[in-house]
Amino acid sequence: MLDITLASLAVTLLWPVLLWFSLRIWWQGDGPMFHVSERMKTPERSFALLKFRTMTVQLYDSGVTGPEKAHRITPLGEMMRRHRFDELPQLWNILKGDISIVGPRPPLREYVKRFPDIYADVLRSRPGVTGLATLAFHQREARLLAECTSAAETEEVYCRRCIPRKARLDLTYQKNATVLLDLWILWRTLRQLATRSHSPNLPAKIMDCNQVINL
């Protein structure tokens, strides 16, 4: 009910923003308005995750986005990524019941297949638009991937250094999940986007997450 209520309110308030970005991307005329990505809601069940398209189209694109893909990000796409406006179409995914507002980010099928034990635990929680791992580790992940010099290195760093840490944060959220924690994560996410703050003060009972972030 909280997901449906907040997502419906967001659509009601933000429809002019959604329309404006849709028209801007359409006006560029170099590809579709939306990027549709197969993501996993459980280890067995997938769904189509919607985002505003931020990159030029390339066939057979896969895996996490690293520096080797940076040249494909459009100027509008860079701004949308910086403020996470590209994720606004996921309001539709929330209303459909694919994801929640708060939860672990839904992984690509290829990573679920490569790390079945990790995602068997993580995906016991319904995936979300934002979550504890997104809030606490997003900037750290961006810095780690920014240091990579090739697609192979990006993939290696993401699998070795990012996936395990995000999983530990997601499982910490799973262990402590409450409505109040969800509201706190949502509030801190919005505040982080508004202020560009990179180091949220975590609740006392999950302060050990800082050790995970800085490993």
Side-chain angles (χ1 to χ4, degrees), residues 132 136 168-169 172 202 206-214:
L132 184 61
R168 289 171 64 182
L169 290 167
T172 298
L202 300 174
I206 55 174
M207 279 296 291
D208 60 320
C209 292
N210 287 321
Q211 299 175 4
V212 178
I213 297 166
N214 295 315

Side-chain angles (χ1 to χ4, degrees), residues 44 87 96 123 138 141 156 177 189 196:
E44 296 81 26
E87 297 186 10
K96 283 180 60 185
L123 292 178
H138 179 73
E141 178 180 304
E156 191 273 335
T189 299
R196 306 306 299 162

Side-chain angles (χ1 to χ4, degrees), residues 15-25 52 76 79-80:
W15 71 263
V17 179
L18 289 160
L19 179 61
W20 186 83
F21 279 122
S22 298
L23 292 175
R24 280 290 306 274
I25 298 170
F52 281 127
L76 177 62
M79 184 274 287
M80 286 193 290

Side-chain angles (χ1 to χ4, degrees), residues 101-118:
I101 294 176
V102 178
R105 287 297 292 163
L108 293 166
R109 182 185 292 272
E110 61 187 278
Y111 297 125
V112 175
K113 287 184 176 180
R114 289 177 65 179
F115 304 100
D117 293 339
I118 288 178

